[in-house]
Amino acid sequence: GYCTALYFDAGIKFIKKASLQDKPFFAYVAPNAPHGPYHDVPEELLKYYKSINLTPVLGFPKNDKHRDTVARVYAMVENIDQNMGRLETFLKKNDLKRNTIVLFFTDNGPNTMRYVGPFREMKAKVHEGGIRTCFFARWPGQFQAGHRNNRIAAHIDLMPTLLDAAGVATPDGVNFDGKSILPLLKGSP
């Protein structure tokens, strides 16, 4: 199977096992897509993205190899979306959605000059094109749907935030560089 689907299959299997035992769980499902190598993407998605003209989306025309790579990256991204949908359906079907925190985030900007919108640079650069990424958090009953916050946060804030959300104190002798952003996620300024 395709790697992203396999990672989500394993994550869902793990969550199902924990929930059947009525245990709290932490599942970190980290797809490696979109990332090279750009082979073996789901064929139906690749066919679709090769059939549309992505040049206006990219903002600059490139050669056929570049257009093929871009189509593969778009196919990978849509496959992640499909698998996030499968996870969401599983949580809802198994009555886990309300009390499960789902975070979606990425580690860095793209490794070439594409998909950065109005921002400068790319992966491994300190400008926003290299470090600004999406972060979505869903926890029904705790987070207001559609809430947006433009405050700066980073991966170092996730562990303190999750401990805070779970009502777990930071272990003695452990010092985090980050801090809980739970108040921001709940709508505080």
Side-chain angles (χ1 to χ4, degrees):
Y2 186 59
C3 57
T4 301
L6 295 175
Y7 301 149
F8 275 86
D9 288 346
I12 289 169
K13 182 179 177 182
F14 173 81
I15 294 167
K16 185 174 187 175
K17 182 178 179 183
S19 66
L20 288 174
Q21 297 172 359
D22 202 27
K23 291 183 177 180
F25 58 87
F26 174 83
Y28 178 61
V29 180
N32 61 336
H35 204 284
Y38 300 109
H39 61 278
D40 294 334
V41 299
E43 192 59 39
E44 69 283 354
L45 294 175
L46 179 58
K47 184 178 177 181
Y48 170 73
Y49 284 104
K50 281 186 168 185
S51 75
I52 61 176
N53 181 7
L54 294 173
T55 302
V57 176
L58 298 173
F60 51 91
K62 292 283 185 169
N63 59 39
D64 286 341
K65 183 178 183 207
H66 183 261
R67 282 190 285 276
D68 179 72
T69 298
V70 171
R72 290 173 183 277
V73 170
Y74 274 59
M76 290 177 176
V77 170
E78 184 165 340
N79 184 257
I80 292 170
D81 291 347
Q82 291 171 342
N83 280 285
M84 285 297 296
R86 281 193 322 122
L87 174 62
E88 185 75 8
T89 298
F90 169 81
L91 294 173
K92 186 174 182 179
K93 180 180 172 187
N94 290 278
D95 200 29
L96 296 170
K97 186 174 174 177
R98 181 163 181 73
N99 292 317
T100 300
I101 300 170
V102 175
L103 304 177
F104 181 88
F105 55 96
T106 63
D107 58 349
N108 50 252
N111 64 349
T112 62
M113 287 303 297
R114 59 179 184 250
Y115 325 115
V116 294
F119 304 112
R120 257 191 322 171
E121 293 295 347
M122 59 188 193
K123 177 179 178 178
K125 306 291 184 179
V126 297
H127 297 288
E128 286 195 72
I131 61 172
R132 183 182 178 129
T133 63
C134 63
F135 177 85
F136 301 102
R138 186 200 39 79
W139 189 12
Q142 298 293 321
F143 302 159
Q144 179 183 351
H147 171 70
R148 291 174 165 251
N149 194 304
N150 64 358
R151 300 282 300 277
I152 295 174
H155 62 287
I156 60 175
D157 300 316
L158 294 180
M159 179 62 82
T161 300
L162 292 172
L163 290 174
D164 192 11
V168 176
T170 301
D172 290 337
V174 174
N175 295 311
F176 292 114
D177 288 331
K179 64 181 189 173
S180 175
I181 60 169
L182 188 61
L184 296 177
L185 296 173
K186 288 187 169 186
S188 297

